[in-house]
């Protein structure tokens, strides 16, 4: 068998993919909050000031997650931190709605729940990727 015929497998493929998807979605979401704060407020009821803070955080966080996904061997501790932060974001989002901390429109409620589910999904996929990588 030649070297070209030997299949290569990347044990970090799934976790890297999950991190990259998370990074892109997060950064784009953050930039949207920054650029479209007023229309988003009208549609979802999310206060403009809150959007600016969240938008800045999400943009920086998205870049950081992308950088974590770059090395050939993904840093396990950094990825676990992303998993934990993503899980925390999902839980806090739902809790804020449940206790009335976010006074949003009906569409805003749906948006926050969809974001929580997406971020929780990223956390689960990242965790699964770490487990598969060993």
């Amino acid at each position: 068998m030649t070297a070209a015929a030997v299949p290569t497998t990347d044990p970090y493929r799934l976790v890297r993919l999950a991190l990259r998807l998370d990074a892109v979605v997060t950064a784009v979401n953050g930039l949207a909050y920054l650029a479209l704060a007023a229309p988003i407020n009208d549609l979802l009821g999310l206060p403009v000031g809150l959007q600016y803070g969240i938008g800045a955080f999400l943009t920086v966080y998205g870049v950081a997650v992308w950088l974590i996904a770059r090395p050939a061997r993904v840093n396990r501790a950094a990825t676990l931190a992303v998993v934990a932060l993503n899980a925390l974001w999902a839980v806090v989002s739902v809790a804020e709605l449940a206790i009335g901390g976010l006074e949003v429109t009906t569409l805003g409620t749906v948006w926050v729940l969809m974001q929580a589910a997406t971020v929780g999904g990223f956390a689960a996929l990242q965790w699964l990727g770490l487990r598969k990588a060993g």
Side-chain angles (χ1 to χ4, degrees), residues 48-62:
V48 171
L50 177 64
Q51 287 183 68
Y52 286 143
I54 290 174
F57 170 77
L58 291 178
T59 302
V60 171
Y61 183 69

Side-chain angles (χ1 to χ4, degrees), residues 86-100:
N86 283 346
L88 180 64
W89 179 280
V91 169
V92 169
S93 295
V94 174
E96 281 292 317
L97 288 174
I99 64 172

